[in-house]
Structures are given as C-alpha cells and as structure tokens.
Amino acid sequence: RRRVKTALILPPTASSFRQVAGLPLIQRTVLAALRADFDRIVVVGREYTAELRALLRSDERTRAVEVTEVVPTIEGSQVTVIPSDRLLTPATFDRVHGVPLNGQPLLFGGASGDSLASCRPAMLVAVDADTLTTSGAEQLWAALRAQGGERVSLDGELCAPISDDDSVTNAEAAL
C-alpha cells in the first residue's frame, strides 16, 4: 500500500507575504512542497483565504493547491505540518520524508526550536482546531510533544524563520 503524504501549511502570519528572492514567502513554501513529492498540499487560509487563493491561482504551478478556511479532514499515512513563515527548500522536505514515522509525532528543528512536524493524521485530530490554526505553531508543537513527539535534527537543511528585513536578507543569502 502506497503511503499518502499530505503537506498541511498553517495559516499565514504577516511575514508569510514578505517577498523572499522575488516571491511571497508562502508561495515559495508551496512551490517547495510541490517539488517534494507530497500527494496533497493544503494551505489553511483563515482570514487570508481569498488573498491566498488569488495569489496561488495567479501562478500556473500552484493553481491546483487546495486553499481552505479551516483544517480539512486529512486521510493517508503521513502529514507534514508546515508553518507559513519559514523559508524551506525541497531538500528540507526530503530530510523530513527520509525519517520513518514509528508511532509518535516527529518534530524537526534546529537552533531556533521546532520548525516542522510529521505525524499520522489521527495525531492531529487530538489537537484542538484552534491550536492548529492560531498564528505561530508553538501550541501545536507543545500538543504534539505531549503525544510523545520526538525531536529530530534537520541536519543543516534550510528552515529559516522570516520575521523582518534582516531575516529576509539572511534567508536569501542561505538560498
């Protein structure tokens, strides 16, 4: 049976729309996910749903990506939870996919703390919907840690938080 992998991109923050190397950060995140062998990519828009749909529909490459107001039902064997205010690369997702899920959530991170999570969809069901969609993923990481979440290093793969002009400059240099 084939593993079905879903990318769940959390609701945008103000930083998600900052331009990084010529593209809005959230569009760049979706493009990296498209190149990373996910079967389904869902962007939770909350109050930015219309704006995100317009942005992603304006680019042929991202037109088919689902944009929903709330977290939809997720089936399959694996879901990767992705904050919308981090600069990531396809290699970062390859690192995540390279670590097999065993029975607990995996929290990928680096020096700046937990940045991405990978888990079975059922593990998200146990998380309060508001926790899943509040800006900033700290509560979500805490909820997954409470379910036995295991920390895994990203081994130097890019996952840079974007919050201001300096972080954009540093992220562009890292690209």
Side-chain angles (χ1 to χ4, degrees), residues 11-33:
T13 64
S15 296
S16 306
F17 295 98
R18 280 181 174 270
Q19 295 276 325
V20 177
L23 283 177
L25 178 61
I26 194 154
Q27 184 175 12
R28 192 166 276 294
T29 300
V30 169
L31 287 167

Side-chain angles (χ1 to χ4, degrees), residues 59-94:
D59 183 332
E60 201 174 289
R61 299 166 295 177
T62 57
R63 209 165 274 158
V65 170
E66 286 174 66
V67 180
T68 62
E69 208 164 310
V70 296
V71 178
T73 301
I74 295 175
E75 314 258 317
S77 57
Q78 185 173 358
V79 58
T80 301
V81 184
I82 306 160
S84 59
D85 59 359
R86 300 269 192 286
L87 178 66
L88 306 153
T89 63
T92 308
F93 292 126
D94 291 344

Side-chain angles (χ1 to χ4, degrees), residues 151-172:
R151 294 210 58 189
V152 182
S153 169
L154 279 170
D155 283 346
E157 292 301 344
L158 188 61
C159 186
I162 302 296
S163 56
D164 56 22
D165 292 343
D166 285 348
S167 61
V168 169
T169 304
N170 294 338
E172 288 175 343

